[in-house]
Amino acid sequence: MFEDARVSWRHATIAFDGRGWTLEDHGSTNGTFVAGQRLQRVELGPGSAVHLGNATDGPLLNLSGAVAAVTTPQAPAQQPYTADATGPAWAQKPPQAPHQQAPHQQAQPQQPLDHQANWQQPQPHQQSRPQPHVQPQHHQGAAPQQAAPRIPQQQGPTAAAAAPPVYGDRSPTTFHQFSLGRVMRIGRALENDLVVSDLQVSRNHAEFHATPDGRMEIRDLGSHNGTYVNGQPIPKGGSQLLGPADIVGVGHSTFRIVGDRLEEFVDTGEVSFSARHLTVTVDGGKQILKDVSFGVPEKSLIAVIGPSGSGKSTLLKALTGYRPADQGEVLYDNRNLYKQFAELRQRIGLVPQDDILHKELTVKKALKYAAKLRFPADTTAAEREARIDEVLRELKLDIHKEKKVTSLSGGQRKRVSVALELLTKPSLIFLDEPTSGLDPGMDRDVMQLLRGLADDGRTVLVVTHSVAELAICDKLLVMAPGGSVAYFGPPEEALNFFGYDTWADVFSAFENYRDYDWSGRWKGSQHYQMYAAEIDAVAPQSVQMPPMQAMRPPKPQGWMSQFTTLVRRYTSVIVSDKGFLALMVVLPAVLGAVSLLIHPDKGLLPNPAHPATGRIVPNGTATTVLLILAVGACFAGAANSVRELIKERVIYERERATGLSRSAYLMSKVFVLGMITVFQGLLVGVIGFSSREIPAEGLILGKLTLLELSLPIMALGFTSMMFGLIISSLVKTAEKTMPLLVMFAIIQVVFTGCLFALSGTAGVNQFSYLMPSRWAVGAAGTTLDFNKVSPPEDGAGTDPLWEHTAGAWSMDMAALIALGVVCGFFVARFLRRHEPEVMRK
C-alpha cells in the first residue's frame, strides 16, 4: 500500500508467469514508468527500478531476490471463566495477548499493488514460493509505507507557526506554478486556470491574486459551497490574505502556497480518523460518554456495538459534530472536525437509523431532488443526472430506479439511503443501526455493501446491534455501560479478550456487572497498547469553538432555488399519495354538508322583533351553522399539518447539516399546505353558506357576500394549519399528534363565542383572544351582524368583535392572520432544536 495520491486504487499487478515476475499496469491514472518511459507491462529482474505515478519523483520500487516466509497465526487457548459476586473471575487475570500475525501476508501468484487495505486474514498452510522483494524507495514527494495504521499527531498551540501537513505525511497530488502577477482561477469549468472536477465546486469558484507587496490572497467568486481558509469560510465574494501556513479549501481539494508554486491535495478517500478523550456531560453533571479514544486507518470498516445505555448514539453525534463532545476532539485526517465543521461536513456522510427518503417518490426522483439541494446552483441537470446514474450503478440500484421507495425491501431502502449520501462523494460515512429490523439475509447484504464501500476507498463506521457479520469489519469498538470503551481492536480477537464464547454472554456480563471497571481492564491490556495507547496518551482538552456565526456553512443553493425545489418535491410527494388527495376534497365537502342538516330552510339573517315585546328573537341556526363550519375548518387545517414535520424530522436534520435553509424549508411547507388548506376553507364556506339566505351586501366586498363570509373560514383553516405545525415540531413521536389535535379542536369549540357570551367575562375573554376560532367567528359575525342575530342577554353588553362595521371585520381578520405569523415564528424556533448543535447560533 502506498500513501501517495498519484498511485491509483488498483495501480498494477505483480504476477509470476512460471519463468519470472512481471508488473502489469491496470490503466492507472498517472502511469507506471521505467527509465522515464510509461509502460503497460514490465518484466522484473534483480535491480529493476519502477516509478509509480510519476517518472521522476513517484514512489520507486527496487527489486531484489528474496523469499517471504509464511507465519500461520496460532489461536490462543480459550481461557476458562467463572463468576462470583464481585465480578467475573477472568477479570482478575491479565488480559490475553492478541493473535500474533505475520507482518506481511504470503503473496499469491497474482498480488495486486492496491492503494487499499486488504481486510482478509492470511490463510494457513499456503504453499511457499520464491517471492520478489519489492522495496519502496522514499524520496522527494513519495510518502513512506507503514504497516500499522497512521495516527494523526496532535496539533499544538504553535501549529500555525510552521506549515502543517495538509494530509498527514502525504505528498501533494499535483503542483501548479505561479507566474509573476498572474491570476490563477479555480473552478469546475474548463476555461479556468485550475480545473477541479468536483460537483461541489462552482463553475467559477475562486481565484488566487498576487498583491503589490508580493503576498498572495484568495478571492471567492460568489461560490455556492464556499471557499475556506484553515477550515473557516471567507465571506461570499470576499477575499483574505494568505500566510505560509494557511490552507485553502475548495470542495474536496485543499491548496497551500509554497514559494512560487501552489500545492494541491485532493481528498480521494485516503483519510484517517480518530477520536481523543471524548466526554459528554448532561444536566446534573452525569457523564454519558466517558473518555472515549480510538483511531482508525483509511479505507476501513469499523463496527460499534454495546448494550443499551452504553452511549453509542451519543458517540455517533459527537463523531459527526451533531452534538460536539464537551471535552476532547475529533480529528478528520489531522483536522479538528468541530472547529472546521463548515468545510469538512461536505466530506462526511451520515445515514440515520430511519430512512432519509420520501417513500412516496421513486428512487430516481428522490435522488434527483437530493442532488438538486446538495449540489451548487450552477450544476447542470446533465451533470446531476450523470452522478445519480453513477451512484445507482455502483450500488446496483439501477434496475430499481423507477420503483417507488415504499415498494423496496428493507435492505434495498437502506441502499437508497446510502446512495443519497454517496452523491457528494464523502470520504467518511457513518451509519446508525442500518440493519435494524432486517432479516439475517438482508443484514449480511447490508454489511457486505459497507465492506465494499470501504474497499472502494472510504472509511465507514457503523453503529449496530447485530453481531452476526462482525468478522468482515477491520476494527471493532465495544462500548460498556456508562459510555466507556471496553474493547477496541480486531473483531476476531474480541470474544477471546472478554473470555466468553458468544456475544450474548458478553452482554449479559455487562448487565450483571454494571459497576465493574470495564474501561480500566481494557486500558490494562496488551490490545490497548497495540491499538489505542498512542492516541490516548494525548491529554484531553476542552472544546473551544470558533464564533458560532462562522460555523454556519454556506448554502449550496440560494434561498429561492431551495424554496422552489422543496415546493416541487413536496408537491410530488402529495400527488403520489392518492389517498391524501381524495381526503383533501372529501373532508371539507363532508364538513360543509353537515352544516346543511341544521334547519336547511332557515337563513342566517337576524330574526324580526317579536310583535308583542319588541325584542329580537335570537337566530340559533346562524350561530350553530357558523360553529360547525369554524370547527370543521380548524380540524381540517390542523389535521393537514400535524404530522408533516415529525414524519420528516430525520430528513430535515440531515439536509440541514448539508446546507438546507430553515426558513426555505418552513416556507415550502406553509406554501403548499396553505394552498391546500385555503382551498378546503373555500369549499367549506361555499357549501355551508351558499344554500342559505345571507345579507345581500357585505361590509367590505359589497355584492360578494359569499366570498366575504368564506374568507374568515379560509383564514381560520390557514392559522389552524400553523398551530398544527407547532404541534408537529414539539412532539417526539407521530403517535402523540392525534390526542393533541383532538384537544386543539375541542378548545376551539369552547372559545368561538357561539356557545356562551365571552365579552365581559374577565380572564376568559382575554384568553379567548389567543384562539383563532374566536377571531374567525368574529369576522363572519360582523358581516352577519351577530349582535342582532344573537343579541346579548339583559344587562350584557354587545361583543366588540361582532360590531357590524368594516373596521371590526378588518381588525378580526388582521388578528387572525397575525396569530398565524406568530405561530410561524415559534415553529422556526422549535425547528432549531432539531439541527446539529454546532450549527446553531
Side-chain angles (χ1 to χ4, degrees), residues 577-655:
D577 190 346
K578 307 301 182 184
F580 180 80
L581 289 176
L583 187 63
M584 182 179 70
V585 177
V586 172
L587 179 62
V590 171
L591 293 174
V594 168
S595 67
L596 300 179
L597 302 178
I598 310 300
H599 299 291
D601 56 333
K602 291 187 177 181
L604 305 180
L605 299 175
N607 287 332
H610 194 277
T613 62
R615 295 184 56 193
I616 298 177
V617 178
N619 185 352
T621 299
T623 55
T624 304
V625 168
L626 195 53
L627 173 64
I628 292 174
L629 297 181
V631 172
C634 284
F635 187 84
N640 286 339
S641 61
V642 75
R643 289 178 178 263
E644 289 306 307
L645 299 183
I646 180 61
K647 76 179 184 181
E648 290 187 1
R649 182 161 297 171
V650 176
I651 298 176
Y652 172 74
E653 289 176 354
R654 182 65 193 123
E655 291 183 341

Side-chain angles (χ1 to χ4, degrees), residues 462-486:
V462 53
V463 175
T464 180
H465 277 112
S466 175
V467 297
E469 303 296 331
L470 295 180
I472 69 174
C473 299
D474 297 300
K475 291 291 188 297
L476 175 64
L477 176 66
V478 182
M479 300 294 293
S484 59
V485 177

Side-chain angles (χ1 to χ4, degrees), residues 27-269:
S28 61
T29 302
N30 296 312
T32 302
F33 300 85
V34 175
Q37 294 185 351
R38 182 167 182 169
L39 300 175
Q40 184 68 26
R41 183 181 176 87
V42 181
E43 293 186 359
L44 302 176
S48 296
V50 181
H51 282 280
L52 303 180
N54 189 282
T56 57
D57 64 352
L60 176 63
L61 307 181
N62 277 341
L63 193 72
S64 61
V67 176
V70 177
T71 301
T72 303
Q74 299 297 326
Q78 180 69 24
Q79 188 174 20
Y81 63 91
T82 57
D84 57 22
T86 59
W90 49 259
Q92 311 303 326
K93 303 177 182 179
Q96 300 176 9
H99 294 180
Q100 299 298 321
Q101 297 182 0
H104 298 285
Q105 183 178 343
Q106 169 71 26
Q108 299 300 311
Q110 280 202 337
Q111 178 178 349
L113 280 176
D114 289 353
H115 201 215
Q116 66 181 36
N118 190 340
W119 58 272
Q120 296 180 346
Q121 296 300 316
Q123 300 298 321
H125 310 298
Q126 292 176 344
Q127 195 69 26
S128 176
R129 72 163 64 241
Q131 301 294 322
H133 181 69
V134 182
Q135 179 181 4
Q137 301 294 320
H138 311 298
H139 59 86
Q140 297 184 19
Q145 182 180 4
Q146 299 179 0
R150 180 182 57 80
I151 305 299
Q153 298 300 316
Q154 170 73 9
Q155 289 182 344
T158 61
V166 180
Y167 287 150
D169 57 1
R170 300 189 186 108
S171 58
T173 306
T174 186
F175 307 98
H176 307 278
Q177 199 71 29
F178 276 118
S179 299
L180 186 63
R182 184 184 174 205
V183 175
M184 181 175 287
R185 177 170 292 185
I186 304 172
R188 200 175 73 250
L190 296 179
E191 63 266 18
N192 289 282
D193 303 301
L194 202 164
V195 179
V196 179
S197 300
D198 182 356
L199 291 183
Q200 295 287 83
V201 177
S202 298
R203 297 187 62 81
N204 296 290
H205 197 103
E207 57 188 15
F208 288 95
H209 278 260
T211 61
D213 59 359
R215 302 177 64 184
M216 295 296 295
E217 70 173 2
I218 182 69
R219 295 182 182 176
D220 183 84
L221 301 178
S223 63
H224 299 280
N225 277 323
T227 304
Y228 302 83
V229 176
N230 300 325
Q232 302 303 313
I234 64 177
K236 191 170 186 177
S239 62
Q240 182 171 330
L241 289 172
L242 300 175
D246 289 334
I247 297 173
V248 177
V250 174
H252 286 77
S253 299
T254 49
F255 302 89
R256 183 176 60 188
I257 298 175
V258 179
D260 61 347
R261 71 178 186 178
L262 183 68
E263 297 183 346
E264 179 183 3
F265 299 78
V266 180
D267 185 349
T268 56

